[in-house]
Amino acid sequence: MLVVMQAHATPENIRAVCGKIESLGYRAHAIPGAERTAIGITGNQGEVEAATLEEMAGVQEVIRVTKPYKLVSRDIKEENTVIAFGGTDASFGGPGLAIIAGPCAIESGEQAFTIAERVQRAGAQFFRGGAYKPRTSPYSFQGLGEEALKIMAEVRERFGLKIVTEAIDNESLELVEEYADVIQIGARNMQNFSLLKRAGRSRKPVLLKRGMAATLEEFLMAAEYVMSEGNYNVVLCERGVRTFADHTRNTLDLSLIPAVQRLSHLPIIVDPSHGTGKRNKVTPLSRAAIAVGADGLIIEVHHEPDRALSDGLQSLYPDQFEQLMAQVKQIAPVVGRTVIGMREHALVAHAYGSPSQASS
Ligand code: PEP
Ligand code: MN
């Protein structure tokens, strides 16, 4: 159920309706919009007594939401959600594209600082790096844990980049929310419902990756889990799904972007690194992602990818990332977006389809 308030409803009216909903034993989610506030009701097993709510001061109408997802839906909030980071240009869902870049995993301070310096100079506002790595093999590098989080906190200090890093369980989430600016929930955990609920109780924004076999509805329901606990700052991320295709690691499903944007107000970004698994395909798919209307990119970058402890084959060299950013900057205005934080002098636009970008 959704209570749509009148445009002139007062904060007291809104509080009274929320109070009534809570007194009925449900949870109220007041989501302000440009024109009016809508209040989502969750926790109800069946129909809520609509008539009582309808009679309250400031209420315009009470709508039954038939879709399984409610808080993620445009029914509750028509305009796009913008997640801003106070005092910086960094945001998700605003006119400026969100650019996240960095290594798959933090390996050392020196590695992180070297990469951070390059991606910041090329125009990224966010630095990514895994501290806890969900690896297919238990014998592969599992991440440096809290030591990596401390390194990333230093990256923020030194380079002014916001930190995005993955939590793989409730224990790591405690630490990640302490050190990071954005909590990443990985593809393998997209349906780890207890973790999603825990992230929903955090005050930090959540970057939620699509599960490798998740339908659009399952993906939106995962975001609903986070929002149902009161954290409305969720960024979705398309990172490729499993198909029969074996020329790439995953099949990047760019059609998901307009499909999500039709149904949901949440920002959605694209991860062409995991989406393709191949360095030579990251730049072309990044261009396509911006053209299709994504709100940003998350890109793996490593200065010595041959020596990377994870995902070296899909990591761009810093120079390639710089070229990619120059191209993104050219495409962005075509779809009404900008790239903030780019230093003009550092950029050289390279022609599309240059030999270094040719597909194998
Ligand atoms: C990652 O971002 O390094 C990662 C493990 O991504 P995904 O969860 O999409 O596989
Ligand atoms: Mn990776």
Side-chain angles (χ1 to χ4, degrees), residues 10 45 53 68 99-100 115 131 149 220 264 283 308 319 322 349-350:
T10 64
Q45 303 300 323
L53 296 169
I99 307 293
I100 309 171
I115 300 168
L149 297 175
L220 293 179
S264 177
T283 296
D319 282 352
E322 201 170 281
H350 287 245

Side-chain angles (χ1 to χ4, degrees), residues 104 128 133 249 274 300 310-311 314:
C104 180
R128 64 147 293 151
K133 295 305 303 175
R249 179 176 175 185
H274 295 87
E300 287 185 342
S310 71
D311 287 347
Q314 66 194 34

